[in-house]
Amino acid sequence: MAEHSNLFNDIEEEILRTEKINLILQEHNKYRSKHRSPALQLDDEMTFKAEQWSEHSLNIGILTNKPNNEFGENLWHRENTSLNDLMMSDEMNPVKFWYDQIKFYSGYYISHPDEYSGDFTQLVWRSSQKLGVGIGTKDKIIYVVCFYYPPGNIIGINEFDTDQIYRINVLYNKGASWNKSDRFFNDYFNIFLTTSVLIYKFHIQI
C-alpha cells in the first residue's frame, strides 16, 4: 500500500513539474515578444540535461554555472518553499527575475555584461531558438536551470564587434531606456530584416 502511495505521489509531482516547465516556457516567450525575438521551443534533450544539472547542484549544495557548457544558461534558486509555489507570484517567477535585469542594460555591450544584465540578454537573445528547463527540489529548496541554444551573450573578436552582435540580438523594447541612437539602430535593423524576408519570399514565388 505504501509503495502505491509513493508511486502516486511521484506521478503527481512529475505532472506538476511538467506544468511548471510549460509556464516557464510561456513566460520566456511573453518577454521575448516584447523585443521582437522569436518564440523558443522546448527541447526534450536540453531539458533532460538541465534537469541533470539541477539535481547535481542540489546534491552538492550549490547552484553554479555548468563548466564547458555548450548552451547558454540562466540559474535561479529559492529556499523555504515548494514546487507548488513556483511561478505563482512575481517573487517565485525566475523568468521575471532575469528579465528585471533590463534596468542594468544600456542597449549595447558593456564590459562584463553577465555581472549585471547577462541573464536578461540571454533571455531575449534573438538568435536563441531552443530551451531546456530543469527544476530540482529537495528539503524546501528549488533550483531552476534554463539552457538555451544557440547560446546568447556571444563575444566577438573585439569590443566593437561584440557591440554589433548585442545590438542585433537584443532589440529595443519601447518600455525600456535605450538611448535614441540605439533605438534608431534597432528599429532600422528590424525594418531591414523584415524587408529582406519579404524580398526573399517574392523571389521564391516567381
Side-chain angles (χ1 to χ4, degrees):
M1 199 70 168
E3 291 181 3
H4 289 160
S5 178
N6 289 336
L7 178 61
F8 178 78
N9 289 337
D10 289 343
I11 294 173
E12 194 174 50
E13 181 173 331
E14 195 56 36
I15 291 173
L16 180 59
R17 190 183 307 275
T18 300
E19 290 176 357
K20 299 299 183 180
I21 288 173
N22 286 325
L23 286 174
I24 289 172
L25 172 65
Q26 292 171 21
E27 196 77 351
H28 269 83
N29 290 332
K30 179 186 81 173
Y31 285 120
R32 286 175 64 84
S33 68
K34 292 178 182 238
H35 297 266
R36 292 165 283 179
S37 294
L40 296 172
Q41 301 297 318
L42 193 67
D43 184 90
D44 290 341
E45 182 179 354
M46 289 173 59
T47 292
F48 175 73
K49 290 181 178 180
E51 194 76 33
Q52 280 187 319
W53 187 248
S54 68
E55 295 293 341
H56 168 77
S57 300
L58 276 171
N59 289 334
I60 65 174
I62 185 171
L63 183 60
T64 59
N65 293 105
K66 184 179 180 182
N68 304 314
N69 197 356
E70 62 188 300
F71 306 117
E73 186 175 7
N74 277 342
L75 308 174
W76 179 92
H77 83 282
R78 285 291 183 274
E79 298 180 4
N80 299 315
T81 189
S82 69
L83 184 59
N84 280 312
D85 295 331
L86 185 62
M87 303 300 294
M88 297 303 290
S89 66
D90 286 349
E91 183 182 357
M92 292 299 297
N93 184 338
V95 188
K96 183 180 185 305
F97 174 81
W98 299 325
Y99 187 81
D100 283 348
Q101 291 181 8
I102 189 174
K103 61 179 176 284
F104 300 119
Y105 188 67
S106 59
Y108 54 92
Y109 174 78
I110 58 174
S111 297
H112 309 297
D114 291 349
E115 185 177 351
Y116 305 105
S117 59
D119 295 336
F120 157 70
T121 51
Q122 172 59 90
L123 168 60
V124 301
W125 196 263
R126 190 180 180 91
S127 299
S128 294
Q129 300 171 1
K130 298 179 181 180
L131 176 70
V133 182
I135 303 173
T137 58
K138 179 181 179 181
D139 300 331
K140 296 186 177 181
I141 298 173
I142 293 181
Y143 283 178
V144 175
V145 174
C146 283
F147 287 164
Y148 306 83
Y149 186 83
N153 297 335
I154 300 300
I155 304 300
I157 58 176
N158 54 46
E159 190 165 315
F160 175 81
D161 187 42
T162 302
D163 179 59
Q164 303 312 305
I165 294 171
Y166 269 70
R167 288 183 185 226
I168 288 170
N169 281 283
V170 185
L171 299 185
Y172 171 68
N173 166 27
K174 292 183 179 179
S177 58
W178 272 247
N179 61 46
K180 290 183 179 179
S181 63
D182 289 309
R183 292 203 298 268
F184 174 79
F185 179 91
N186 283 321
D187 288 338
Y188 176 81
F189 172 76
N190 194 57
I191 293 170
F192 170 78
L193 190 65
T194 302
T195 304
S196 299
V197 170
L198 289 174
I199 293 173
Y200 175 77
K201 287 182 178 179
F202 175 76
H203 281 294
I204 291 296
Q205 290 175 353
I206 62 175

